[in-house]
Amino acid sequence: MWGCGALLGARTGSRLGREVLVAPGRGWSAAAPYSASAEPTGVRALVYEHHGDPAKVVELKKLELTAMGGSDVHVKMLAAPINPSDINMIQGNYGFLPKLPAVGGNEGVGQVVAVGSSVTGVKPGDWVIPANPGLGTWRTEAVFSEETLIGVPSDIPLQSAATLGVNPCTAYRMLTDFEQLRPGDCVIQNASNSGVGQAVIQIAAALGLRTINVVRDRPDIQKLTDRLKSLGAEHVLTEEQLRKHEMKHLFKDMPQPRLALNCVGGKSSTELLRHLAPGGTMVTYGGMAKQPVIASVSQLIFKDVKLRGFWLSQWKKDHSPAQFKELILTLCRLIGRGQLTAPACSEVPLQDYQRALEASVRPFVSSKQILTMC
């Protein structure tokens, strides 16, 4: 099914590796770390040479595949999503930026084609995902160092594997690292239809937690509400409903949230804080509204709320590769038990990347764009 040629990327977390970019019909030279050490193999990749609007700076180019070393793994990419962090990285306004020129994409799943003589952790046929950001997954194949990959079960759904390494990891860590929640406790979040939001709903349900899920109003709000509830959401509210006085009645039947997860900022985060239990924590992991988080003096003094931030890349820096692998395997077990599914996805062939990029930044699109490498 997936023998149609897929891809992967660079040999380090911050560079394209030793591959050479070749633009169709003309030569293209790049500075180090490239070297023309192999014949063209038909590898295709989505490359950007400058930061800017992804629709303008991302181009489909050809790569030459480097020769393998003893600790290297040759991987064909099967599928790779477009995440908000990917867009931010291309725009040049993310916390980590690969050296240019770079291949887009930080997440995805590939299949091992061949391994070097000293590789012991994976074998041909295995599925692997990136262990680090910046590998550049929007390509058909590449040679990676074994240490930059994590093996995952090949019997989980392809979309689940492709979207495993970022959003579910973020959701799990935020649910478990900031408050000692017990079954029956409540969590409130905004951007609940995002990839992280959908993972929060499912993981929280698996942990026995109750969720209040806030979304922006839209024409198909009932359809979205039904989908989120099918994932395990207890309550789905619009931003406008959250601001109404009647919200107080909600907490007659459930405890006030001890944990709030904020991906929006601005007024939306202020409303989350307003409903947070005394001593509770709001964790900010995104800023879709591009507005600051504002906490009133009374909330800080009289409710003693805590404001924290979370960035998965920093968590990885603070923890060992073995701890990240255990996190991945924990999530794989949830997938295997049917407690965690991929977010709503739309698969788009790599050559139609412009359509996928445009859809990924369009308002109210709840479907994650996944590039397939056929």
Side-chain angles (χ1 to χ4, degrees), residues 150-221:
I150 295 177
V152 297
S154 58
D155 59 353
I156 63 175
L158 182 79
Q159 291 183 351
S160 293
T163 58
L164 178 60
V166 177
N167 292 336
C169 293
T170 297
Y172 189 91
R173 293 266 57 100
M174 292 194 301
L175 285 170
T176 57
D177 289 356
F178 295 92
E179 289 284 339
Q180 293 184 339
L181 301 177
R182 296 180 175 85
D185 285 343
C186 180
V187 176
I188 189 170
Q189 66 165 339
N190 56 24
S192 302
N193 61 311
S194 67
V196 172
Q198 293 178 57
V200 164
I201 290 170
Q202 296 177 83
I203 296 170
L207 296 174
L209 305 175
R210 307 172 71 177
T211 56
I212 300 172
N213 303 278
V214 185
V215 297
R216 290 180 293 176
D217 198 7
R218 63 196 66 207
D220 62 344
I221 186 63

Side-chain angles (χ1 to χ4, degrees), residues 306-338:
K306 298 179 286 290
L307 304 182
R308 299 291 302 276
F310 182 81
W311 186 31
L312 183 62
S313 295
Q314 187 61 50
W315 185 92
K316 289 182 182 180
K317 291 178 184 178
D318 296 338
H319 295 78
S320 68
Q323 288 173 300
F324 181 57
K325 183 174 182 179
E326 179 54 37
L327 171 59
I328 292 295
L329 295 179
T330 296
L331 294 169
C332 286
R333 288 191 287 270
L334 290 177
I335 293 170
R337 294 197 294 262

Side-chain angles (χ1 to χ4, degrees), residues 13 29 36 43 80 121 142 147 156 164 173 183 220 227 236 256 265 305 342:
S29 60
V43 177
E147 66 184 11
I156 63 175
L164 178 60
R173 293 266 57 100
D220 62 344
R227 168 165 170 73
V236 179
Q256 278 189 287
V305 297

Side-chain angles (χ1 to χ4, degrees), residues 1 103 120 127 185 226 234 289 295 309 328 348 358 369:
M1 176 180 177
V103 173
T120 59
W127 279 14
D185 285 343
D226 292 343
E234 184 166 351
I328 292 295
V348 181
E358 291 170 2
Q369 305 298 300

